[in-house]
Amino acid sequence: MPASLPAPTLPRRPRWRSLALLAVCLAPLLWPIQHLAERYYRSELASQNRQTLDLYVANLLGILHRYETLPQILGGLPPLREALASPRSSAAVDAANHLLKRIAEQTGAEVVYLMNTTGDTLAASNWDQTDSFVGRNFAFRPYYRDAMDGRLGRFFGLGTTSAKRGYFFAAAVREGEQTIGALVVKVDLDHTERLWGKTPEQLAVTDQYGVVILTSRPDWRYRATRPMSDTERSAVEATLPYPTRAPQQLALAETAWLTQNRDISETGWTVNLLAPYSLVERPVRSALAAAAGALLVLILALGLAMQRRRNYLDRIAFEGRARQQLELRVAERTGALERLNSRLKQEVLEHEHAQQKLVQAQDELVQAGKLSALGTMSASISHELNQPLAAIRSYAENAEVLLDHQRTEEARGNLKLIGELTARMASIIAHLRAFARRDHHAPESVALQPAIEDALALLAKRRRAMGVELVRDLPDAPLWVQAGETRLRQVLGNLLANALDALTEKATPRCLWISAEKTAEGVTLCLRDNGPGFTREALAHAREPFFTTKTRTQGLGLGLAICDTLMRALGGELLLANHPQGGALLTLRLRPARPGANLQPPEEFA
Ligand code: ADP
């Protein structure tokens, strides 16, 4: 029995544990990725914020620069000098008020005001408003002192009346070498905060004390970003720039903000732009997620590739095993086939041997058949020749007697008959030879009646001796049939001889009927006797060679066999039967032929 093939191994799952291990090993790769992404996004944000910062600083400086030179220029205006010169002249002060108001409106300054040498405000652009500076003393403000000292006064501070933030520029008003007063321009800085908008980045402008003065976050306003020194604290208390004398600390978590700053040297301020760290964290997280995803995909692809490789190896191994099994089976089958082949060879040899024996046996059989055929032939020849020989003997004896009695003419007639009979015997021998070689002549047209007469003539003497009455029923016109003259007479002679043989067994009256007629198929000839008829066995076997019911000396059993063969060779047939009224009835069926010219057969001498 062939060994069964090993079951194919099922595709195994990828080794998730080793993949997880690989993932753990590869995970640290995410750290440099995070680091790089952080650096990248931080620098991106920084460059973006730097631009914003630059823009804001430029804007702030633009505002400040616009008003920086204004106090000096305005200080030279005559109406203002007039007012300083005649502070009690309401017309002069009025004129100064109106002028300052006009200037404030035209320049966009929040307030423009004129102070005398004691720090009192003589005229102001807001003279007609409730929070008018007129009459107020601002000598405590540093800008006043700076202006009086001949410098440009600069100061950030909260308006003591308006409580509004502003930047103050102050310059001395001179009359020759003498300082007669100071002109101050207060610039509104509130709107610079509002410009900032609602971005995640926050603005914080700190002054020289580290206190937030402008910011996008109201809760950071006036908060100290660093601890103040004592000098600074006392300076704050003296100048009151903020609503509070001791600003609270602003605690900003360093990790929460990415800070960029720019110093404005002329004001001592620092503009800070604080971007929440989340702005960097978010894209870093996304980049990290993308990297992790890519890593995961890589690991999965690796896992799949490993699995495919393992499946491929499994398949190769399976195929290898299957091939081995197949080779084994082929070898087994080849062995079986070789055994079968050698057995077949043996059988073929035996067959050849048997064949040789068979051929030998066949040769022996052929030899035996030849001998048998020789026997049949010699029996047939002797049978066929016996009748004419008997007639010749009878004619010769007759001629002897006739010669004894000097009846030479009659003896000559007998000798002539003997000559004819020997010629016929030669013809019979020739025919038998031809019959044995199967090279008989083709049928020809033969008239039936002369052949019957000839056959009757051969047996006339015997018939008469036996007292057999002959009844003929033959048409006058010749019945032409397809036959050979000699063969037809041979058949008729045989049948007539058999009839006479049969009639010997019967007492008189003995009778022989011969009739012939033309039928649709051809010509039918009937020969009937009133002898004992065919026995049942004879009816069945009479056509077989050597079947005879007669004694050895009387019959050879070849007559009907030869007749049957000859009839079939002529395309006719011989039927054996018993007549209902007793006796044998032999019927010859012959094929019709066109009327022939010669009534003498040509084949006898052929
Ligand atoms: P043979 O005449 O030598 O016996 P045949 O072949 O001529 O051989 O005849 C075979 C047999 O057929 C005869 O032995 C005989 O029994 C039977 N037979 C032939 N003709 C007749 C006949 N006219 N009447 C009765 N029997 C016949």
Side-chain angles (χ1 to χ4, degrees), residues 26 72 92 116 118 125 155 271 292 378 407 444 515 520 587 595:
L26 290 178
Q72 263 180 318
N116 61 17
T118 54
S125 59
F155 176 70
V271 182
S378 50
R407 291 160 64 181
E444 54 208 45
S515 65
T587 310

Side-chain angles (χ1 to χ4, degrees), residues 498-499 502 529 533-534 542 547-550 555-560 584:
N498 273 351
D529 60 65
F534 287 99
F547 177 84
T548 179
T549 56
K550 299 168 190 168
L556 288 169
L558 280 170
L560 289 183

Side-chain angles (χ1 to χ4, degrees), residues 33-52:
I33 290 171
Q34 183 192 12
H35 185 71
L36 285 172
E38 217 173 271
R39 248 178 53 183
Y40 171 75
Y41 286 112
R42 200 194 281 245
S43 81
E44 275 285 292
L45 189 67
S47 86
Q48 193 182 319
N49 285 347
R50 203 175 304 122
Q51 288 174 15
T52 316

Side-chain angles (χ1 to χ4, degrees), residues 575-594:
L575 303 173
L576 309 182
N578 283 326
H579 196 271
Q581 289 167 15
L585 171 65
L586 291 111
T587 310
L588 288 180
R589 288 212 176 118
L590 289 152
R591 289 165 72 189
R594 281 182 302 170

